Amino acid sequence: MMPYLLLAQVGVGVAAGGANAMASFRLTLIAYAAALPLAAVTGLVGLVRPLSVAAVRAMCGVPGDTLAEGQARSWAARWRASAWWTLHLGVGAVVSGVSLAAPPMAVVLIVLPLSDTLRGSRLGIGWLGTTAEVFVAPVLGAGLLAGVVLCAAGAGALLARLAPVLLGPTAADRLAAAEERAADLAVRNRLARELHDAVGHALSAVTLQAGAARRVLDSDPGFVREALAAIEDTTRRTVGELDAVLGLLRDGDPARADAAPAPTLAADLDGLLARTRAGGTTLTAEQHPGPAGDWAQLPAIASREAYRIVQEGLSNALRHGAGPIALRIRVHTSDGHRELEITMTNPPAPAPRAGEERRTTGGRGLRGAAERAALLGGAVEAGPYGDGWRLRASLPLGDVPAEKPARGVGR
């Protein structure tokens, strides 16, 4: 409060004809009243609220969740922060003044009976002239010290009670915090899907590849070598993806989520199909990238999500199905809109034998595939189809660009 008070005292002194405002108690009170509006104006600065919140947390013991984070986003929040700032400085100035003036006076009153010099001095306590009044002085001094303590404690309690009201989050602050939490949760859900799809598929593929290699270990060494190579490649890729995603989760920086490894149809589909076949599974794949003739022409996000959907479909087929898998991926045009369509069919697994439980993963993979498709405005359908099981996904790719008329052609 001192800078505002000094500035106000200069103004009040000039207005009073050049008087020294510090030498007059009345002018000091006027300067104090004039300093409060000055503090209120500066309290509208955006940085005032985070500074005040930090002070409240350090000195008032107010729970952190009742206070707003960051700078004020609206004028209503700025005015509330300004009210707190002004109240804090104004009450603090009063407590400071009392703390400076009252203790010396209290000490004089307490030691007054012990000092003839003080009793005879002109300290403004001449009314304590009689012996009885002199011995009452220590009680008054102790009361004065208690008053200082009560004043400071009362001011602290008042400020602590008003802090959540004036520095608490507004509706805009709560909305911004909710949006930030939702964005962080969405990123973490995406990373969880990446982990589930990558690790789940790798475990399924490696299990089948190892089992197939074990069955033909003596009769077909060439197949065993291919299966072991596929296992090595699958685990190496998956460990790399796992390490990158876990690094992002440890860093706690959702903004870097896009740095997580993301396989695509163009770069990784052929390897995925080859590793699936290496486990002894019969897989037929039809690829129709459309007029461009190359999966690299797909939008990056569509290529990434499509790869994961294919991967999850293969994982489900390997875990829960039996027999050949038929995969068809194509880009086609319907009503002027381009669409990427993924269709995968396979026979169901035979019924489990007595005492054997059917394998299940709780359906998290299919939910994740549906979420990936919904992200692009598409859909995933999965369920019994004829004598087998079918997964079908459709991912919109946008409108077909209109053809420009050829130049120089006319009647």
Side-chain angles (χ1 to χ4, degrees):
M1 189 65 178
M2 187 59 67
Y4 304 101
L5 187 58
L6 291 176
L7 182 61
Q9 283 179 334
V10 171
V12 169
V14 172
N20 183 2
M22 299 181 66
S24 169
F25 182 69
R26 182 178 65 85
L27 293 181
T28 298
L29 291 179
I30 295 174
Y32 173 81
L36 294 177
L38 296 178
V41 171
T42 58
L44 296 174
V45 177
L47 287 175
V48 165
R49 190 172 75 171
L51 291 175
S52 299
V53 167
V56 168
R57 285 176 174 165
M59 296 186 291
C60 296
V62 177
D65 56 354
T66 62
L67 302 174
E69 297 287 346
Q71 298 188 25
R73 293 180 172 85
S74 64
W75 279 106
R78 288 174 182 257
W79 280 112
R80 289 169 56 192
S82 174
W84 160 264
W85 178 255
T86 306
L87 179 64
H88 181 200
L89 295 184
V91 172
V94 172
V95 173
S96 298
V98 171
S99 301
L100 289 173
M105 184 63 183
V107 171
V108 169
L109 290 173
I110 291 173
V111 302
L112 188 64
L114 306 176
S115 174
D116 295 334
T117 302
L118 287 177
R119 286 199 298 271
S121 64
R122 300 177 58 84
L123 296 176
I125 55 174
W127 53 275
L128 294 173
T130 66
T131 303
E133 290 172 337
V134 168
F135 286 100
V136 170
V139 177
L140 296 177
L144 192 57
L145 288 178
V148 173
V149 174
L150 291 176
C151 180
L158 174 65
L159 294 176
R161 187 177 184 84
L162 292 179
V165 177
L166 298 177
L167 297 178
T170 63
D173 294 324
R174 293 189 180 94
L175 179 60
E179 291 176 348
E180 184 177 350
R181 286 194 298 269
D184 181 69
L185 182 60
V187 170
R188 292 183 179 275
N189 284 340
R190 176 194 158 189
L191 294 178
R193 286 198 304 268
E194 295 291 334
L195 284 177
H196 174 274
D197 292 351
V199 176
H201 175 78
L203 291 176
S204 298
V206 166
T207 300
L208 291 175
Q209 290 160 352
R214 178 180 54 81
R215 288 191 296 269
V216 298
L217 181 61
D218 298 325
S219 60
D220 193 349
F223 178 83
V224 173
R225 282 193 295 271
E226 292 180 4
L228 291 176
I231 290 174
E232 180 183 5
D233 182 56
T234 300
T235 53
R236 182 187 299 112
R237 292 169 57 87
T238 305
V239 168
E241 293 184 36
L242 180 63
D243 183 67
V245 173
L246 290 179
L248 291 175
L249 290 174
R250 282 195 300 268
D251 293 342
D253 186 4
R256 294 181 56 239
D258 289 336
T264 63
L265 289 181
D268 303 280
L269 178 60
D270 291 339
L272 175 64
L273 301 181
R275 290 190 296 274
T276 303
R277 294 188 179 103
T281 302
T282 302
L283 171 62
T284 59
E286 296 182 25
Q287 301 185 41
H288 304 281
D294 186 0
W295 292 123
Q297 303 300 318
L298 290 178
I301 186 172
S303 186
R304 292 196 302 266
E305 303 303 331
Y307 175 90
R308 290 302 193 190
I309 292 173
V310 172
Q311 186 183 56
E312 179 55 33
L314 291 175
S315 297
N316 278 339
L318 294 175
R319 281 194 294 262
H320 309 300
I325 301 173
L327 171 65
R328 185 185 187 195
I329 311 175
R330 68 182 183 123
V331 175
H332 67 94
T333 302
S334 175
D335 298 329
H337 301 283
R338 287 194 309 149
E339 185 177 77
L340 175 63
E341 185 180 273
I342 302 169
T343 306
M344 190 180 305
T345 59
N346 63 278
R353 289 176 290 189
E356 182 181 4
E357 296 184 0
R358 182 179 294 276
R359 291 170 296 173
T360 178
T361 57
R364 288 184 292 271
L366 291 178
R367 286 200 299 270
E371 291 172 358
R372 293 179 183 278
L375 178 67
L376 302 177
V380 169
E381 301 173 1
Y385 182 75
D387 295 332
W389 180 274
R390 183 182 75 166
L391 181 145
R392 182 180 180 275
S394 58
L395 308 178
L397 300 177
D399 297 336
V400 177
E403 296 184 3
K404 297 180 180 180
R407 295 183 180 179
V409 178
R411 295 184 180 179

